[in-house]
Amino acid sequence: MNIKNTITNTIKTEQSLSSLPLRLIAGIIFTAHGAQKLFAWFGGYGLDGTGQWMESIGLSPGFIMALLAGSTEFFGGLLLIVGLLIRPTSFVLAITMIVAIFSVHINNGLFMSNNGYEFGLALLAITLTLLIQGAGQSSLDSVLYQKLNKQS
């Protein structure tokens, strides 16, 4: 398989608008949560504070874990918003949500009111849907896919 086919298969997407609200809403949420971890925006603790907290729950080294989680959420969220590389982005974000669910929330039960996994599970469902469905019609993936197919 050549590189063009690999790229084409990665960005191939359904030509509907059904992914757009999922991408935009999840993208905003992930970007904001990543900004909390990376930059201490929106009441977050930044890399140092988040790293110390991650270290305290057994995710070591905490600073590196905070950098990875924050970068995945912030940049992944931006990619969701513009609709670029949605399948690989959704895959990485889904893994991030699985780690969050099982390392932080699972022992608290389902509901958010008890710091449960409800919110992480909803974001996991969105990312898995985008992984399967792709970015949709209003996305950079769609534009790139159409351009690559015209060159064939």
Side-chain angles (χ1 to χ4, degrees), residues 121-143:
L121 191 62
L123 289 174
L124 177 61
I126 292 170
T127 57
L128 292 175
T129 300
L130 292 171
L131 177 63
I132 294 164
Q133 188 168 310
Q137 183 179 5
S138 295
S139 67
L140 290 179
D141 279 357
S142 179
V143 171

Side-chain angles (χ1 to χ4, degrees), residues 61-89:
F63 183 86
I64 300 297
M65 298 306 259
L67 180 63
L68 289 172
S71 296
T72 298
E73 291 175 357
F74 184 77
F75 295 108
L78 293 176
L79 289 171
L80 289 182
I81 290 168
V82 299
L84 182 62
L85 300 172
I86 291 303
R87 285 193 168 92
T89 298

